[in-house]
């Protein structure tokens, strides 16, 4: 008899707690930084017999209510065995020279991503980044993917992969 008396208030209480938890989680959903990144196009080529370059055009979408401020950028080459080789980011000033003397990498279609670039809440932009790898082009061609990683100044990392085996 006591169990039946307590069952109804217990179920009602648990239901109210569940409703409050859902409301709290829904209210704070966009309060943390969330990015959707996609590499649109990647172009690679040999700079010499022991090094190569890659140019990545990508899109960043920020659906959250928090602004992204770029703190660090990395591009990794993902090898067939799963190991990675980190590339050296080419500065904005040097990208023009790279593209001028290496026409096989194409033209500059987007602005270059730089440190302190910002993606405002609910905004989207297209950018590019160029990188140099200390590996021959044949090793780049044999690799699985390029991985673009962007870090917010507050520490969160976001990444997008571009499959080289298309």
């Amino acid at each position: 008899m006591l169990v039946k008396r307590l069952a109804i208030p217990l179920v009602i209480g648990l239901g109210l707690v569940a409703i409050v938890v859902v409301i709290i989680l829904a209210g704070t959903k966009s309060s943390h930084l969330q990015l959707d990144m996609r590499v649109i196009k990647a172009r690679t080529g040999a700079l010499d017999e022991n090094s190569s370059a890659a140019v990545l055009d990508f899109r960043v979408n920020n659906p959250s209510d928090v602004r992204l401020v770029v703190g660090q950028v990395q591009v990794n080459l993902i090898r067939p065995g799963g190991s990675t080789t980190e590339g050296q980011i080419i500065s904005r000033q040097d990208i023009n020279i790279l593209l001028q003397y290496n026409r096989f990498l194409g033209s500059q279609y987007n602005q270059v991503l730089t440190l302190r670039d910002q993606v405002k809440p609910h905004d989207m932009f297209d950018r590019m980044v160029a990188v140099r790898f200390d590996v021959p082009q044949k090793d780049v061609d044999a690799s699985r993917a390029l991985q673009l990683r962007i870090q917010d100044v507050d520490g969160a990392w976001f990444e997008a992969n571009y499959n080289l085996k298309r």
Side-chain angles (χ1 to χ4, degrees):
M1 177 111 149
L2 182 61
V3 175
K4 288 184 180 180
R5 281 172 115 185
L6 292 176
I8 293 174
L10 182 64
V11 170
I12 292 173
L14 288 174
L16 290 174
V17 168
I19 290 171
V20 169
V21 168
V22 168
I23 290 171
I24 290 171
L25 290 177
T28 62
K29 182 179 179 183
S30 62
S31 296
H32 67 278
L33 183 60
Q34 177 184 353
L35 289 185
D36 298 324
M37 291 187 0
R38 183 172 62 96
V39 177
I40 299 168
K41 184 176 185 179
R43 301 162 275 169
T44 65
L47 296 177
D48 59 38
E49 58 203 32
N50 296 317
S51 64
S52 54
V55 177
L56 285 78
D57 293 296
F58 59 95
R59 177 166 291 146
V60 177
N61 180 29
N62 181 1
S64 66
D65 291 335
V66 180
R67 178 183 61 191
L68 166 82
V69 179
V70 177
Q72 188 174 349
V73 179
Q74 288 180 352
V75 177
N76 298 317
L77 185 64
I78 301 175
R79 298 297 202 51
S83 65
T84 61
T85 301
E86 186 175 341
Q88 302 162 347
I89 300 295
I90 298 172
S91 71
R92 180 176 24 185
Q93 294 81 9
D94 292 338
I95 285 179
N96 292 331
I97 296 169
L98 173 75
L99 296 176
Q100 180 181 358
Y101 289 105
N102 299 284
R103 296 272 183 208
F104 55 86
L105 291 173
S107 301
Q108 181 175 344
Y109 301 111
N110 298 303
Q111 293 179 17
V112 177
L113 181 71
T114 60
L115 300 181
R116 300 284 184 216
D117 270 358
Q118 298 181 17
V119 185
K120 297 175 184 165
H122 306 285
D123 199 11
M124 177 175 48
F125 70 37
D126 292 348
R127 292 289 188 271
M128 72 173 284
V129 65
V131 63
R132 179 183 182 275
F133 294 106
D134 290 326
V135 297
Q137 181 62 34
K138 65 179 175 66
D139 289 352
V140 173
D141 292 338
S143 296
R144 292 188 346 213
L146 290 169
Q147 179 185 60
L148 171 65
R149 299 184 75 221
I150 297 176
Q151 183 183 33
D152 181 54
V153 292
D154 291 332
W157 282 95
F158 302 93
E159 63 184 51
N161 290 339
Y162 183 83
N163 185 1
L164 291 171
K165 302 294 183 191
R166 291 183 173 227

